[in-house]
Amino acid sequence: MLDHVMPLISSPWIYLVVFVLVAIDGFFPAMPSEAVVISLGAMSASGSSSLVALAVAVVVGGMAGDGIAYALGRRAGRWIRSRKLIAAKERAERALGRYGGVAILVGRFLPYGRTASAVTAGSVSFPASRFRLFSLLASAAWAAYIISLGLLGGVAFADSPLLGTAFGLGVGMSLAGVGALVQRRSAKRRKAIKTSERVLVDAGRPGA
């Protein structure tokens, strides 16, 4: 299998493929760009791919996809129908209102957060120049993170790129799972606090 894959990995065209996948992932989050980038990161540990070219493709692709999602948000953000995206968009809107551009940076590392934060930024007319700046920062941070996962696997399993890729994916999925769990617990805690506040307010009303 690797004998058939290696020529493609060694070709400069692979970085165009990475660019396209990462860009599409910005507005169609079902695209498995993480797996491809982690795989190439693992390959780069043995010199099979260029780390610099990979990083550039990921960052530029990230900004391109964010720009498309932002434009879609300005035109049709209200037409989102996916439950997961709707919930993520609502969280992104609250985060943008509270933290501004930092929410775009943080959203890149949350499930559906990249698409939701970009679409929401467009729908609430977040300044385009600031959006591009935080999109660059988020893309660079995500590139460093996701490629590092691949490198980690590539170093740990130098003789087996497939195991290195699987290891990087496993670490990434574990970290994402922990992040999602923390996010859910934080949401439950906020909901409980709001419920308690409403109870206290109602108890303090005359005639209650």
Side-chain angles (χ1 to χ4, degrees):
M1 178 179 175
L2 285 176
D3 292 337
H4 296 288
V5 174
M6 288 305 294
L8 175 61
I9 292 174
S10 303
S11 169
W13 289 103
I14 191 64
Y15 304 110
L16 177 60
V17 172
V18 170
F19 165 81
V20 172
L21 289 177
V22 174
I24 294 175
D25 198 17
F27 54 90
F28 184 68
M31 187 62 63
S33 61
E34 291 91 344
V36 174
V37 176
I38 288 175
S39 298
L40 291 174
M43 297 290 184
S44 68
S46 60
S48 300
S49 62
S50 169
L51 195 60
V52 174
L54 177 60
V56 170
V58 173
V59 172
V60 177
M63 293 187 67
D66 288 351
I68 293 172
Y70 179 88
L72 289 174
R74 296 201 70 158
R75 290 170 172 78
R78 64 183 180 276
W79 298 110
I80 289 178
R81 291 290 180 265
S82 167
R83 283 187 180 180
K84 290 182 178 179
L85 277 179
I86 289 173
K89 185 175 180 294
E90 290 173 350
R91 290 194 298 268
E93 191 166 351
R94 290 193 297 269
L96 277 171
R98 185 172 182 180
Y99 302 109
V102 176
I104 297 170
L105 179 59
V106 175
R108 181 60 59 96
F109 297 89
L110 300 176
Y112 293 90
R114 177 190 178 190
T115 303
S117 60
V119 169
T120 303
S123 66
V124 301
S125 298
F126 190 83
S129 59
R130 289 192 65 202
F131 176 79
R132 285 191 291 269
L133 170 62
F134 282 100
S135 173
L136 171 61
L137 295 174
S139 297
W142 188 80
Y145 164 72
I146 209 73
I147 293 173
S148 294
L149 290 178
L151 281 172
L152 181 62
V155 171
F157 299 93
D159 297 328
S160 178
L162 290 178
L163 283 177
T165 299
F167 179 80
L169 286 170
V171 173
M173 290 174 65
S174 298
L175 293 175
V178 171
L181 180 61
V182 170
Q183 187 180 17
R184 283 197 295 269
R185 288 187 174 181
S186 178
K188 288 181 179 179
R189 190 179 301 112
R190 287 195 299 269
K191 184 177 180 180
I193 291 174
K194 288 182 179 178
T195 301
S196 299
E197 289 176 346
R198 283 197 298 268
V199 171
L200 289 174
V201 170
D202 290 342
R205 288 176 180 171

